[in-house]
Amino acid sequence: MQSFRFSWHYVSHTPPGRPFDFEGAVTPRTDERFDGAVDAYCEGRYIGRCEFSSIDAHDASEAAAQVRKRIERRIEDRVAQESASSH
């Protein structure tokens, strides 16, 4: 069984909870998993890139939702780290 891979490169100071949009592809594989790469934008500004593989999902929209949740968690972690180090 292949393991899920998720890589998020975050370039912005976008606070958690801000809505963001994806541009990119969530590609189905023959084994009912999804691969892809998306760029995330918040209010038209580029905030980062996500590459992933082996997401287990029923369809592309579910796979995208999983990616979104992981990105939101990474943004929250990053903002928390930055605020902790600045105090």
Side-chain angles (χ1 to χ4, degrees), residues 8 10 15 17-19 23 31 36 39 46 48-49 51 55 57-59 62 73 81 87:
W8 167 243
Y10 181 62
R18 295 287 295 277
E23 288 183 14
D31 62 356
D39 291 311
Y46 177 73
R49 178 166 182 83
E51 297 177 2
I55 293 180
H58 296 295
D59 57 30
E62 182 184 333
R73 271 191 236 121
Q81 289 173 357
H87 290 292

Side-chain angles (χ1 to χ4, degrees), residues 65-82:
Q66 289 183 40
V67 169
R68 180 177 293 275
K69 282 222 177 298
R70 286 174 181 261
I71 290 173
E72 288 170 350
R73 271 191 236 121
R74 296 285 175 94
I75 291 173
E76 289 170 1
D77 291 347
R78 170 85 175 257
V79 170
Q81 289 173 357
E82 289 174 354

Side-chain angles (χ1 to χ4, degrees), residues 1-12:
M1 181 171 181
Q2 294 216 356
S3 63
F4 175 73
R5 183 176 67 79
F6 179 85
S7 168
W8 167 243
H9 176 66
Y10 181 62
V11 297
S12 171

Side-chain angles (χ1 to χ4, degrees), residues 18-31:
R18 295 287 295 277
F20 58 89
D21 300 310
F22 286 148
E23 288 183 14
V26 178
T27 309
R29 300 186 342 185
T30 58
D31 62 356

